[in-house]
Amino acid sequence: MINGVIIGGCSGVGKSTIIRRLLQAHPEFRFSVSWTTREPRPGEEEGIHYHFTSTEEFERLIEENGFLEWEKVYEDYYGTPKEVLESDSDEITAVIFELDTRGAIKLKEKYPQFSTIALLPPSIEDLRKRLTQRGSETEETIARRQAYLQKELQRLLTFDFALINDNLEETVQLVRRIILALNNRTKFVAPHVEKLLDDLK
Ligand code: ADP
Ligand code: 5GP
């Protein structure tokens, strides 16, 4: 059984930063690299941050049923490829998905054994500052992302875990501990329950 951990939260809350830190410290965690039609930001690499593609190619993949879930977020398509669950290594202990809230809820509906972790900003002002400070957005894209925020915040309350990303180091440690606890469930507790069920027969 794969430990699927879905990290959701509004744009600019700190998801990528936190996931990057976790992957550096835990090579046994795998990141699900999504497909997107948006342009790469400076420093983003093909196959590491996203698979960057055209709208035509993305729509072809939708038709071929190549995604576990996909969404149009703002103006662009984003989707989780199916291959990510075909684990080629026993050493992978957790697969981390970074999704918008609709995608997170959809994936959790499909795989109820996966866990969802919501990241919330300390304040709207902080969120605005983070988006501006990242320097990747124009005034227009920031405004578009803010308009989407109200619905996202409401959906985040349905997640299994919710954390306020105030102090970055503390949040990274909390997410890390949640994932390790979940790993314990998939690696040891789930097989143990199987065994107990067998013994009952
Ligand atoms: P997301 O992936 O959720 O869109 P990012 O990880 O790109 O967000 O973070 C947006 C910006 O906020 C980045 O410049 C990042 O360095 C900064 N940031 C992330 N977490 C914190 C935090 N706890 N305190 C202050 N700034 C943060
Ligand atoms: P960004 O353009 O800032 O990288 O991402 C925009 C939003 O799309 C973020 O909330 C991010 O988590 C989300 N996202 C990234 N990949 C996927 C995906 O495969 N599916 C869905 N549903 N959302 C995604």
Side-chain angles (χ1 to χ4, degrees):
M1 188 164 120
I2 287 180
N3 179 20
V5 179
I6 307 167
I7 301 192
C10 30
S11 190
V13 72
K15 301 182 295 291
S16 318
T17 310
I18 289 163
I19 293 171
R20 202 181 319 124
R21 301 258 186 135
L22 289 170
L23 294 172
Q24 274 163 4
H26 291 274
E28 75 280 16
F29 294 173
R30 169 182 291 171
F31 178 60
S32 162
V33 180
S34 296
W35 287 73
T36 183
T37 58
R38 88 150 159 71
E39 290 293 313
R41 292 183 189 131
E44 282 185 337
E45 286 178 53
E46 164 59 37
I48 304 232
H49 300 90
Y50 281 107
H51 296 291
F52 297 98
T53 189
S54 64
T55 304
E56 293 71 33
E57 171 74 359
F58 197 101
E59 287 174 346
R60 194 180 59 74
L61 281 167
I62 295 175
E63 272 172 32
E64 286 175 3
N65 208 10
F67 295 114
L68 291 178
E69 64 73 44
W70 63 270
E71 290 289 340
K72 204 161 201 180
V73 187
Y74 318 117
E75 295 293 288
D76 286 296
Y77 282 121
Y78 293 81
T80 306
K82 279 195 166 157
E83 305 87 75
V84 71
L85 293 185
E86 294 158 12
S87 179
D88 48 10
S89 156
D90 284 344
E91 279 152 33
I92 300 297
T93 58
V95 178
I96 302 181
F97 301 86
E98 190 216 306
L99 307 179
D100 86 313
T101 52
R102 288 173 306 170
I105 291 167
K106 240 194 221 174
L107 195 61
K108 170 87 179 176
E109 273 168 11
K110 214 167 177 176
Y111 298 95
Q113 73 275 27
F114 287 5
S115 304
T116 45
I117 305 179
L119 293 175
L120 291 146
S123 69
I124 299 297
E125 186 50 34
D126 279 306
L127 187 66
R128 281 204 190 110
K129 265 195 223 143
R130 287 181 196 176
L131 270 175
T132 314
Q133 153 202 334
R134 190 168 69 187
S136 59
E137 312 299 321
T138 59
E139 284 292 319
E140 190 204 335
T141 59
I142 289 182
R144 206 189 304 143
R145 281 166 188 244
Q146 300 263 22
Y148 187 63
L149 196 56
Q150 194 180 355
K151 284 213 175 92
E152 288 226 289
L153 287 173
Q154 285 159 349
R155 288 193 206 106
L156 287 169
L157 269 184
T158 67
F159 281 42
D160 299 324
F161 302 91
L163 305 173
I164 300 166
N165 178 25
D166 192 352
N167 177 299
L168 180 61
E169 256 347 290
E170 277 173 23
T171 314
V172 171
Q173 289 313 320
L174 279 172
V175 176
R176 180 174 167 269
R177 275 190 243 142
I178 292 172
I179 298 177
L180 294 178
L182 292 167
N183 279 351
N184 185 61
R185 185 177 70 181
T186 36
K187 207 169 164 117
F188 300 110
V189 182
H192 183 68
V193 171
E194 291 294 324
K195 186 175 173 304
L196 292 176
L197 288 169
D198 259 1
D199 291 350
L200 264 182
K201 280 181 198 155

